[in-house]
Amino acid sequence: MEGSGSWDSLVVGWTPEELRRSDSQLHGMTEFLLEAEDVIVQGHGVVLVNTDEAGTLAVTNFRILFVSEVSQQVIELGTIPLATIEKFSKHAVKLPSVPRQSNKTSSRRLLQVVGKDMRTIMFGFRPKTKQRRAVFDALCMCTKPEKLKDLYVFVFGLSTFKNDDPKLRLLKEYHRLLGKGSFRASSTAIGDGLSLSNNWWRITSINSSYALCPTYPFALVVPKSICDEELLQVSSFRGRCRFPVISWCNHDGAVLARSSQPLVGLMSQRNTADEKLVAALCGTPHKGSRRKLYIADARPRKNALANGAMGGGSESSSNYFQSEVVFLGIENIHTMRESLARLRDYLDTHGTASSDGMSSFLRNGGWSWGGGNLSSMSASVSTLGDTGWLIHVQSLLAGSAWIAARVAKESASVLVHCSDGWDRTTQLVSLASVLLDPFYRTIEGFQALVEKDWLAFGHPFSDRMGFPTVSGINNTPSELSRQSSVGSLSSSPLRMPSGSGFTSSAGNTTHGQTSNNCSPIFLQWIDCVSQLLRMYPCAFQFSSVFLVDFLDCVLSYRFGNFLFNSEKERQQNGVADACGCIWMYLAQLRAPEDGSHVHYNPFYDPVKYDRSLSPPAAALAPTLWPEFHLRWACPSEAGAGDVQSQWRTMTKKFSEIAKAKEIAETKVNELQLSLDLLTAELQKEKQFRNSALAMAKRGSRESLAIKRAVQSLGCKVHFLRGESDAVSTGSSWSETREGLQYSGRSDSDARGQPDEKADLSVSISAAEDSMVANCVTSPECESICPFRTKEGCKWPDAACAQFGGQLVGLKANFDALDRLSIYDGYFGAD
């Protein structure tokens, strides 16, 4: 039989120094470590039995870290913060012997880790490697630090998650409740904030040094008619000195008050100051009559009577004027702890894949529909009811709804208490506040509510969650002790087939105290809030994902907000100045995406739900919280029915489609711009073409006119195509032996039609018939006559005489052809 993990276990053979030596052998884990996270020991070839996946297992000063060998990614199921571990133990499973080695048997080395977040993990180690022993000893060492500075939350420090003083945030909420508007958060404002009051209530600093009640906050809201001396008299009459104080109030004077049980004992003792204080909670008369007071005792009546034998008990309505005592019948912390353990075992048994590596289908055998045959499914539902968890959640919801209805519908005041006033009392008061005040249904208000009713009013988080705490008044603050978790691991830690030879350690997995104060009180309250969110999906600003992430942060012990058992202990140990703040961390997670982050409820409607909520009794039927309860046992079903997750999926797809549409529209715009540019260029080219055609037509007409003019002079005109090299470009006159020759280029064909493709050359020649000598010359003739020879002019017998003397006029006006009409000016109509 293997040994079990114990807080008092002696680590034999492995010292902290030896365990830390393995840090030099790290490989492939550095990229997954958080800030200030160090690896203590590391094992290779470890199998996560739940999913049958091999990987590397490392124990750090903050968590168990499991990285898959195949994907090289962190496996969330096998990665759990050390503070979230409730218990761990070693087990062995004997494997069937090999025929050739019938005298030898081998066993599979297992390490079971049970978490406070509803998961049960099983790791398998290779035999004869001593890796399981090293991991086990490292867990024993790291989960029970001896000094405060060894806790990861102090090693991690403030980092980037520093926030203001919790005292300032408490005073800010008090100012809001008393209707005094905003409160300036500064170190000098604490003294000023303690003097605030309104018509009915005031803030008192009687507990500023925590001398009156060490588990109450430094500032308290009490009736204005009660002086501090009377508060001193009342404190001695209430358990743990937790006298009645105001937790919430509305604008017309109704309040939610909280306290611990009165110390009436079997003799039903009375205290005049206590009766006066409780009566003062009613404030002023409402609608002309005295306001009624309800005293809600969270315990079952029999438990309250039993406490009377130990000096406690409950109030008598005959001693408290205009009051009514009601017992809400909510069980104690031990019942809640056992109920959650049964629920966790139920989920591990009937989940998709469990710590034994088998699905519920294989476990139940035979063909199935939905994970088991009909009889096994009916038994499964019955087992869920046997856990009692949903019944307890329903009791809390019903009690808080009743309290809220008394305040909202009757404008009555309600005093809530249990035995000590820090467990069931806190659950009921904070749940009723969520129903009454829309502010607490926002993220900012939820933070204010948790800090006021849970942290400031002294819910013992270290005791209830098994966190390290200051060990005692005789020890220095640097010495720590851890609350135990006594009892077996679970009713059935493993469900192996018969004949598997399974053996496990039994008994205590923590140190050997006789009492156990661990209890999932805060987890149960968050579960109740999730049930309200399911009933009123549009009334809350935050989502169910926010609640899961918030609860994981609380259980991880990574931030200092929930350290120790009271505001006094946190202040004495300098938590606010040395540790990071959970609210800053969550705010930074949301900052990049703002309102689109998964922590925000997309259906939140603050206008419609701006008043109190009054759920009917029929609506207070809770179900399993899928996002939290089923995320490890049935991961595929954890968020399958969540409307918010479906909305986000649709929104993501819509965003992708909108982005694709935007890209397509951008491309269309670019193409349209290119088309416009091409159209403009084409239009410009058309204009150039039309201009060129106009010029060509004009040139054609001019060429045709010149041709006719030349022909009228008796010259021959020849048009040559494609002979661009044979004639010169442009036009010119030249004198040859044959006579007068003109060469030119034209764009018109022989019929006078323009031809863009033709390369035309025009040749004009005039033959010389005879030359007449001894002609009487004139200055004009000598300057322009092309037939003049060396012998001189032979006019009128010269060849030029046949032109009728018009050559002179043609030459003189040739430059004007572009401006005058040849037909009209020289030749007339054709």
Side-chain angles (χ1 to χ4, degrees), residues 668-697:
V668 169
N669 292 335
E670 293 175 353
L671 292 175
Q672 184 64 40
L673 181 60
S674 301
L675 181 61
D676 293 341
L677 293 175
L678 292 175
T679 302
E681 292 180 1
L682 180 60
Q683 190 67 24
K684 188 176 180 180
E685 291 294 334
K686 286 183 178 180
Q687 293 177 356
F688 289 156
R689 178 178 177 275
N690 293 335
S691 177
L693 289 176
M695 293 177 63
K697 290 180 180 179

Side-chain angles (χ1 to χ4, degrees), residues 50 106 208 262 414 425 504 510 714 734:
N50 303 61
S106 59
S208 58
V414 182
T425 299
S504 67
T510 57
S734 62

Side-chain angles (χ1 to χ4, degrees), residues 101 146 166 222 311 355 407 427 486 505 523 559 577 607 693 777:
Q101 300 175 348
E146 296 180 355
V222 296
S355 58
V407 177
Q427 288 177 319
V486 182
S505 58
L523 186 155
F559 305 98
D577 298 326
V607 177
L693 289 176
T777 62

Side-chain angles (χ1 to χ4, degrees), residues 87 124 143 331 564 577 620 767:
K87 44 191 123 181
T143 52
E331 298 294 340
F564 307 115
D577 298 326
L620 298 175

Side-chain angles (χ1 to χ4, degrees), residues 2 21 23 94 184 242 281 293 319 325 425 429 438 572 591 716 773 795 813 819:
E2 300 289 340
R21 288 176 191 168
D23 186 49
K94 293 183 179 180
R184 289 188 176 182
R242 296 173 66 89
L281 296 176
L293 172 69
N319 297 334
V325 180
T425 299
V429 169
Q572 288 178 341
K716 296 180 180 180
W795 181 268
N813 295 287
R819 297 187 299 274

